[in-house]
Every structure is written in C-alpha cells, then in structure tokens.
Amino acid sequence: VLVTVRAVFRGTVLHPMLSADRQGQAGGDARFRLAMASSGIGMAIVDLDGRWSEVNPAFERMFGHAAAEVVGQPVAMMTHPDDRAASDDALRGLIGGVLPTLDAEMRYLHRDGHAVWTHVNVAVMRGADGEPACLIAQLRDITAQRAAEAALRDCNAELERINRQRELFAYGVSHDLRAPLRAIDSFAALVAGQYGDRLDDTGRDYLDRIRNAAARMSGLIDSLLELSRADRSELKSEIVDLSLLAEWVGAELQDAEPSRAADIAVQPGLLVRGDERHLKQLLTQLLRNAWTFSRDRDRVRIAVTGERRGDRLQVSVRDEGTGFDMRYAERMFEPFQRLHGPEQGGGHGLGLTIAQRIAQRHGGRVWADSESGVGSVFHVDLPAADDNGRDT
Amino acid sequence: MSEKVILLVEDNPDDVELTRIAFAEAKVANQLVVVSDGAEALDFLFARGKHADRTPDDLPSIVLLDLNLPKIDGREVLQAIRADERTRSLPVVVLTTSTEPFDVEASYALGVNSYIQKPVDFKQFVWAVKQVGLYWLVLNHPREGG
C-alpha cells in the first residue's frame, strides 16, 4: 500500500498541510500519514484512474473492508448502483479539472452489502506542475442523520395529517353541533311563545332552563372554535396598536352592559408586532375576565398599561375586582378549569386558555397576580414594535 | 304575474321548519319551495329530472343555500348556478351554520350575493331571515327579466 501511495506522491508538492514541513517531502508524507491513520473521519486517496490508493482505519470501520481489500479497486465498485453515474461524473470532473471540489451525499456499499449513506468531500491535490496528482476524500457516515431526517419527515407528514383532521373536526363542531342547538332553542322558544299560557310556572321555568342551557352550549362551541382557530390559523405579522384594540374591546363590553358604570383607562401608544384579529381576541378574553370579576364593585375599574423590556412589551391588565387565590394562578390557564361557578360570573373555562395560546403563538405568555378581594393583574408578554414601522 | 317562489336548499328538517316560521313572522308571502339536496336544487333550477315539467324561465326570486348538503354540496351548486347563462345573475344567499372563515371566503369567491350565518338563538335567527326577505324581496331591484 505504501509503495502505491509513494508512487502517487513522489516529487509532488502536495496539500499545504503536507508542504508546510520544510524539512522535506518524507517528513510531510509521514505527518500526513499519521494524521490520516489517527483521524476519526474516513479518509482515502484516490488515484487519477479512479481507484482507491489508500484508505485509513476509520474508512475500514465504516465500510467493513480491510484496506488491502479495496486498495487498487475502482471507486465505482464500492459505490451504490444508484449513485454510480453521479460518482463517475464527479470523479471525471475532478480529475479533468472541471470540478475543484466535490461535496455530496452518496451511498457506498458496506462489505456485507448494505448501503452506507456517506457525506463525501473530495479535493484535488496538484503537483508542482499544477497538474492533478491525486484526489483526497473525506467520508463521514451519515446513516443516523439520514434516518433522523427521514423520521422528521414522517413526523411532519403525520403532523400535517393530524392538523387536517383537526380542521375537519373543528368544521364538524362548527356546523353539526350548532344546528341541533338551534332547533332546541328555537322550538323551546316557540312553545313558550305559542303555548306558554297553557303551562304553569314550573313548565315555563323548564323551558327557560332548556333555552339557557342551549345558549351556554352555544357559547362553549364558539369558544372551542376560537381556541381551535388560535391554535391552527396562520398568524399575520403586522404592527398592531394594542391601545386602540383595548379601547375597542372596552367599548364592546360597555355596549353589552350599558347600565354598568365603568372606567377603562388605556395607556396610549402600545405598539406590538403580531396578528390583529388574534390580539383583539386575547384582549377581549382578559378585559372580559376583568369586567366579569368586578361585578361586586360599584364601578368596574380596568387599567391597561405597557412597559418596554428590550424588544418585548409587557402589557398589564389590572382590575379592582374580587381577585383569585394565587394557588390557582397556573391552573386557570388550562382548559375547562373554573375558579368560579356560573352564578359568580364564571364562564366555560376556555377564555384564559385562548388568551394563553394566542400569547404563546406570539412567542410570549400570560401570567397573573392577584390578591383575593383586592383585584387581579394579568400580564402578557408580546413582541414590541416601534411606530416608525421597523421591528425592534 | 304570480309572485316568484323562494328556493330553500336545506337538508335539515328542523331548519326548514324554522325558516318557514321565520318567513311567516316576517310576513313574506312568496311560496317557499324546499329541496333537500344539491342535485335536486339544480334539477329544479334547470327544469330537469323530477322538475322537468317546470318552465325553466320561471326562476325563483332568490335561492337560500346551505353549504353542507348531501350529493352535491352547496359550493358546487353555487358554481353550477354561476356557470350557466340562464342562472348567472340569480341572487343566491348562503344560509349556513358554519362560521369558518374559509367557507365565507370560498362562497364569495364563487360569486354568492350574501353569506348569512344562522344564529343558534331563535330570535336572532328570525331577525336574520327577516332581513334577508326584506332586502332581497322588497328593497333590491332585480334586473329586468333576470
């Protein structure tokens, strides 16, 4: 083997690594050989006829071949049939001077016949005359990497399938669960309207209960859909005036309950980057929450403020309502977790989950502080934006 | 000339009944013709199949179309209506339970005149149907002969 290689190397100025040794060619060869032998990466020298002329121990381990078995054999013999044409082309290009280097993924055959996915990097080594002297190849086993990539592709395909499924499911919920509810509510309303005088108070009360239950379930379905949309719909990235949205949400809450005295103070100029529709939804959940749990107070007081922290804006929604027990500060963001019954203004237990999901999709989160009986403050962390239109 | 009919394409018998009641409460006198799938809707409009004895020129004043229908769904019905010279300018209102944004988008892309989401609450449902009747049968001035 050595003889073969010497023949190739003789009288040539090799790679800088090799020629750096000014003490002579023999010293350079020895150091190169040592480097090759101790390298953890497969290395090989290929002659100008496209044959292996030297391979290192890492190469031997990768492909199960002893050096003696492959030296002198054409590279093509060890190349996977499907990659042979590409490999031959590349070798011709390198030797012919058309291709300065090769960096590719190819399959070579292990001694036992299985294909080894290999990342191969080949450079031409030139002699003093500038003519190609031989090729030096570095080979790295990427079987595991390829397998991981394939697994990732499978996962992505599966994820896409699940997402499609979820979309169909949401669609079914939107359509098929609502239709029967409309029948329940409507026919109960018709009975109450047309036959109410033939019923006693208990009968009319039952009809009311049916209609109230239908309305609650309708609200629940709307929230489930809202949560599903917060999860799956694509987010726009635009500059959003959160102050304006908060004022708008406040006005909607006041419209829905005009008799309620309320002070909603919003700090102006809170600019963030995100999806306006979703961010309005997020503020709706937080402000409605603050509104609902201020029901015991003479006046609803809500303050929306923001504080810049680097490239983030921390927005706080503060109320002076009943507050909550801090033991539940984490749990209340989980779906269907309620801290209050319906008679205390508790909803269906999805509002804060929706808010959290939207914040997460904007790279942030929602968290809460409270003192029972004094009020609550909900914080949201969102990407800040400047009013000159640039991101921060 | 007799009043033109309203064509309701709806497979849910409860919704059919509620639409009837809503039109009655809104005092809409036009006869309500109900078909329960997309294929029959097209047969009616183009006077073929079991509606072959109809005069094809005698189009309804308006088509109220549900989206999720057996056989041929509402989107395809809408597409077929818009693709045919005779029915191209026929007012079509999608009246559906779905609130999915892509249903709304797709319906407008296919040339629907209005998209109404059927509310779950009966009072709101009656109100919505009344508005449809008021707009399309009273306020809107149709094209001559259209």
Side-chain angles (χ1 to χ4, degrees), chain A residues 14 18 39 82 107 117-118 168 196 218 259 284 305 331 348 372:
Chain A
L14 291 170
L18 308 176
S39 173
D82 293 348
R107 282 158 293 178
W117 268 107
T118 305
L168 288 174
S218 168
S259 59
T284 300
T305 56
R331 216 183 72 184
H348 32 63
S372 221

Side-chain angles (χ1 to χ4, degrees), chain A residues 15 77 87 130 165 181 184-185 188 200 204 223 268 287 298 351:
Chain A
H15 196 272
M77 262 183 67
S87 168
Q165 201 78 25
L181 266 187
I184 292 168
D185 181 70
D200 59 13
R204 283 190 292 271
S223 294
L287 265 75
D298 294 336

Side-chain angles (χ1 to χ4, degrees), chain B:
Chain B
M1 194 186 112
S2 64
E3 283 274 2
K4 288 182 166 189
V5 302
I6 297 168
L7 179 64
L8 174 65
V9 192
E10 173 62 75
D11 66 320
N12 181 335
D14 291 334
D15 279 357
V16 170
E17 181 64 19
L18 291 172
T19 308
R20 266 188 215 290
I21 294 167
F23 273 129
E25 290 205 3
K27 312 227 182 316
V28 171
N30 305 52
Q31 186 201 343
L32 193 66
V33 175
V34 182
V35 293
S36 57
D37 66 64
E40 201 191 337
L42 292 177
D43 282 352
F44 180 87
L45 289 173
F46 298 124
R48 59 191 195 201
K50 76 181 201 191
H51 298 283
D53 55 343
R54 246 175 46 77
T55 316
D57 294 340
D58 195 8
L59 287 171
S61 52
I62 185 174
V63 179
L64 302 177
L65 185 64
D66 192 11
L67 285 183
N68 288 36
L69 293 166
K71 296 183 197 170
I72 299 177
D73 86 1
R75 298 158 198 85
E76 292 169 88
V77 172
L78 183 54
Q79 221 160 4
I81 289 174
R82 288 297 174 249
D84 195 290
E85 200 54 53
R86 292 166 290 176
T87 51
R88 183 158 295 161
S89 51
L90 183 63
V92 179
V93 173
V94 163
L95 195 59
T96 181
T97 310
S98 162
T99 49
E100 287 297 292
F102 70 82
D103 271 341
V104 183
E105 292 290 321
S107 300
Y108 280 112
L110 290 173
V112 77
N113 296 86
S114 298
Y115 186 105
I116 313 279
Q117 197 235 324
K118 288 189 256 185
V120 164
D121 180 272
F122 179 62
K123 274 197 204 107
Q124 291 174 27
F125 179 76
V126 172
W127 183 85
V129 172
K130 263 185 194 168
Q131 301 309 309
V132 170
L134 187 65
Y135 181 79
W136 290 104
L137 303 172
V138 180
L139 289 177
N140 186 51
H141 187 77
R143 224 160 128 186
E144 287 304 314

Side-chain angles (χ1 to χ4, degrees), chain A residues 8-46:
Chain A
V8 174
F9 277 54
R10 183 169 304 125
T12 60
V13 176
L14 291 170
H15 196 272
M17 171 180 81
L18 308 176
S19 57
D21 187 336
R22 292 274 173 192
Q23 293 177 6
Q25 197 52 55
D29 277 4
R31 285 178 62 173
F32 174 67
R33 197 129 294 106
L34 190 66
M36 220 174 132
S38 55
S39 173
I41 299 177
M43 288 177 78
I45 290 164
V46 175

Side-chain angles (χ1 to χ4, degrees), chain A residues 170-191:
Chain A
Y171 189 85
V173 169
S174 166
H175 192 270
D176 294 357
L177 283 190
R178 262 214 197 94
L181 266 187
R182 178 168 47 253
I184 292 168
D185 181 70
S186 301
F187 289 111
L190 286 164
V191 171

